[in-house]
Amino acid sequence: MIEHINWYPGHMKKTREMIQANLKMVDLVIEVIDARIPISSRNPIINDLIGGKQRVIILNKVDLADSRENEGWTKVFKEEGHFVVPMNCMNGAGVPALLSLLSKYQEARNQELSRKRTLRMMIVGVPNVGKSSLINRLLGKKSAKTGDRPGVTRGKQWLTLSNGMQLLDTPGILWPKFEDPLVGLNLAFCGSIRDETMDLASLALELIGVLQKEYPEELMERYKLVELGEEPLETMEAIAAKRGFILSGKRTDYERTARAVLDEFRAGIIGRITLEHSEDA
């Protein structure tokens, strides 16, 4: 197993300080997480920073995740006392439900305060979970940079929605060290850690091992395999052979195979896959 995956550049330290400095100014925190890895994509530092502040959890990328697990995780987070909105930020599914929730929350808060006040929110999450895509959907225009690579958003941005609500965007924040190596792997599988910092062949081999155990039928169907190898390496080599990823001397092109498997997993092409199960929460 790949161990000691660490990713904590300087701008993430600044993000932590930004959250601390601005938390008192907001009424609500919107936390965006990846539905495929609902635990690994929740930064424990954010929990410490936010404390008891009311939170809306956006279970994003539900279109890429196992539908049964989406339902299970929605239930888990609601039982924790959070608002939960399953969403696909790329096509906007779930955005109307979020706006309705925010309007009701603002109305209830104004009644509690006995005065009208614009709702102010902060959006947080690890890199590449879809924060910028969500912001663009809420604004109805492209004002936040988006990309499928972590680290696109930098700096502090206050944004005003069409309904007058204000939103503070923050860059994605990871934490200094992953105590559980599986957390680092899950984040790397889903693209929340820069590929440039990883050995992609080893990473893809780890992913194949997980899929071989958890979603064998999807893996076999996608790569037209009659059977899976006894070890993940055998399966990886079988995938390479099916795709024609062979170098001179009949050597397996592990790098090309790794890129194909990782890209197709991240795009949902292998299937709707959730790597963390709600029953284990």
Side-chain angles (χ1 to χ4, degrees), residues 31 42-52 55 80 82:
E31 180 185 9
R42 296 191 75 193
N43 189 335
I45 290 177
I46 290 176
N47 279 334
D48 294 339
L49 293 176
I50 292 172
R55 200 177 321 190
E80 289 182 359
H82 305 304

Side-chain angles (χ1 to χ4, degrees), residues 27-48:
D27 307 298
L28 193 67
V29 174
I30 298 176
E31 180 185 9
V32 185
I33 65 175
D34 189 322
R36 297 168 296 179
I37 49 170
I39 296 299
S40 295
S41 60
R42 296 191 75 193
N43 189 335
I45 290 177
I46 290 176
N47 279 334
D48 294 339

Side-chain angles (χ1 to χ4, degrees), residues 65-82:
D66 189 320
S67 58
R68 293 165 298 178
E69 291 293 345
N70 291 338
E71 294 176 4
W73 281 112
T74 297
K75 181 179 179 182
V76 166
F77 292 133
K78 283 184 176 179
E79 289 175 349
E80 289 182 359
H82 305 304

Side-chain angles (χ1 to χ4, degrees), residues 22 40 46 52 57 63 80 119 124 169 182-183 188 226 273:
N22 292 280
S40 295
I46 290 176
I57 292 181
D63 56 308
E80 289 182 359
L119 190 67
V124 299
D169 184 20
L182 287 176
V183 170
V226 176
I273 294 168

Side-chain angles (χ1 to χ4, degrees), residues 6-20 43 45-46 49 125-128 131 149-155 170-178 187 191-194 197:
N6 292 308
W7 178 252
Y8 196 64
H11 81 269
M12 292 184 179
K13 179 177 182 293
K14 293 179 181 178
T15 300
R16 176 174 180 161
E17 294 169 352
M18 180 200 303
I19 292 173
Q20 288 176 314
N43 189 335
I45 290 177
I46 290 176
L49 293 176
V126 304
N128 204 33
K131 296 189 304 299
R149 294 159 59 86
V152 172
T153 304
R154 298 289 180 93
T170 62
I173 176 175
L174 289 178
W175 52 111
K177 182 181 179 181
F178 306 122
L187 289 166
S192 289
I193 299 174
R194 290 183 182 275
T197 68

Side-chain angles (χ1 to χ4, degrees), residues 7-167:
W7 178 252
Y8 196 64
H11 81 269
M12 292 184 179
K13 179 177 182 293
K14 293 179 181 178
T15 300
R16 176 174 180 161
E17 294 169 352
M18 180 200 303
I19 292 173
Q20 288 176 314
N22 292 280
L23 192 59
K24 291 181 180 180
M25 301 172 62
V26 302
D27 307 298
L28 193 67
V29 174
I30 298 176
E31 180 185 9
V32 185
I33 65 175
D34 189 322
R36 297 168 296 179
I37 49 170
I39 296 299
S40 295
S41 60
R42 296 191 75 193
N43 189 335
I45 290 177
I46 290 176
N47 279 334
D48 294 339
L49 293 176
I50 292 172
K53 184 80 71 173
Q54 182 64 58
R55 200 177 321 190
V56 178
I57 292 181
I58 303 300
L59 195 64
N60 191 31
K61 305 188 181 184
V62 291
D63 56 308
L64 304 179
D66 189 320
S67 58
R68 293 165 298 178
E69 291 293 345
N70 291 338
E71 294 176 4
W73 281 112
T74 297
K75 181 179 179 182
V76 166
F77 292 133
K78 283 184 176 179
E79 289 175 349
E80 289 182 359
H82 305 304
F83 297 119
V84 186
V85 182
M87 189 172 291
N88 174 357
C89 293
M90 294 304 292
N91 69 8
V95 171
L98 175 60
L99 289 172
S100 175
L101 170 64
L102 295 177
S103 294
K104 290 177 182 177
Y105 185 82
Q106 178 176 253
E107 183 178 344
R109 185 166 179 78
N110 287 345
Q111 288 180 350
E112 182 182 334
L113 296 172
S114 298
R115 61 187 175 90
K116 286 190 176 183
R117 177 181 165 187
T118 299
L119 190 67
R120 305 190 87 187
M121 304 163 287
M122 176 187 292
I123 186 165
V124 299
V126 304
N128 204 33
V129 289
K131 296 189 304 299
S132 295
S133 296
L134 172 58
I135 290 169
N136 289 335
R137 286 288 173 181
L138 291 174
L139 294 175
K141 59 183 179 180
K142 285 214 167 185
S143 102
K145 294 180 181 178
T146 62
D148 59 0
R149 294 159 59 86
V152 172
T153 304
R154 298 289 180 93
K156 173 180 172 180
Q157 299 183 69
W158 275 105
L159 305 165
T160 302
L161 309 188
S162 58
N163 59 13
M165 295 178 184
Q166 293 188 316
L167 181 66

